[in-house]
Amino acid sequence: MRDGAHGQSRAMSFEVDIGYQSGRGPREVNEDFAGCVHAPPGEEARGLIAAIADGVSTGGHGLEAAQTTVMGLLADYFATPDTWEPTAALDRLVGAQNIWLAAHNRRRHGQAAALTTLTALVLHGQSYTLAHVGDTRAWRVRAGDAAAQLLTQDHAFDHPDLRSRLTRAIGLDDQVRVDYAQ
């Protein structure tokens, strides 16, 4: 946007109300973790990043995996060069976290692994970038629309005991494939 009176560039701004709530469901412990960070002062045009992770309870260390994944992503996203597309920044950061967590799991020598799903959203300018691994879903809700629109696809097989079996998760394999939507 141009300010005609002064000839200076100004970043477009927007207001976002952020809130999150999670219930533990039938599990004894809630291993979900979420957070959101706005761009630092002077870089407002870079928008914000929000992320939610659901630690895999069968791994025993799901909360640890969810917390380190979300906190690392939120702490490091705005440290990436502003010339990088959001998909490039997210891909490198999620990939690095996955490598660290997979290596950590290998060192546990037979103990339960630390795994987590991840869905992250970057709002920038007039667009968004969504990164997704696992089965933590993202939905778009718009005023006036009759129904919410599912933006992600689960990376899981359905199982007869009504629990899904993840085919992708952070820390599961040495490489992680991230789905992106823009």
Side-chain angles (χ1 to χ4, degrees):
M1 167 184 293
R2 293 295 276 174
D3 180 351
H6 301 288
Q8 299 173 347
S9 293
R10 291 188 304 190
M12 294 186 71
S13 64
F14 54 91
E15 284 188 36
V16 177
D17 291 326
I18 302 293
Y20 29 90
Q21 184 261 330
S22 177
R24 67 175 172 82
R27 298 183 261 178
E28 287 187 29
V29 177
N30 184 348
E31 296 181 320
D32 299 346
F33 194 82
C36 178
V37 174
H38 288 267
E43 297 183 41
E44 289 85 0
R46 293 188 72 188
L48 67 83
I49 181 169
I52 184 168
D54 181 2
V56 178
S57 60
T58 58
H61 299 282
L63 181 57
E64 170 188 290
Q67 284 179 327
T68 59
T69 299
V70 170
M71 290 175 71
L73 187 61
L74 297 181
D76 294 341
Y77 181 77
F78 292 112
T80 62
D82 63 358
T83 56
W84 286 5
E85 290 292 321
T87 53
L90 290 167
D91 206 50
R92 290 185 186 191
L93 294 172
V94 171
Q97 173 64 16
N98 181 74
I99 289 168
W100 177 83
L101 197 53
H104 187 68
N105 286 335
R106 280 192 301 277
R107 288 189 299 273
R108 290 183 186 234
H109 301 294
Q111 295 179 14
L115 306 173
T116 189
T117 66
L118 174 69
T119 300
L121 173 70
V122 176
L123 295 177
H124 48 98
Q126 298 292 318
S127 62
Y128 71 88
T129 300
L130 187 69
H132 172 71
V133 177
D135 62 357
T136 300
R137 298 177 184 126
W139 299 80
R140 178 173 33 213
V141 179
R142 288 186 179 176
D145 286 354
Q149 177 187 7
L150 181 61
L151 299 176
T152 56
Q153 179 179 349
D154 288 355
H155 303 133
F157 294 118
D158 287 330
H159 196 265
D161 67 2
L162 301 180
R163 297 176 58 176
S164 64
R165 301 292 186 237
L166 291 172
T167 57
R168 292 192 221 169
I170 307 295
L172 182 63
D173 296 309
D174 289 338
Q175 298 279 325
V176 64
R177 281 191 7 241
V178 181
D179 288 352
Y180 291 100
Q182 293 183 303

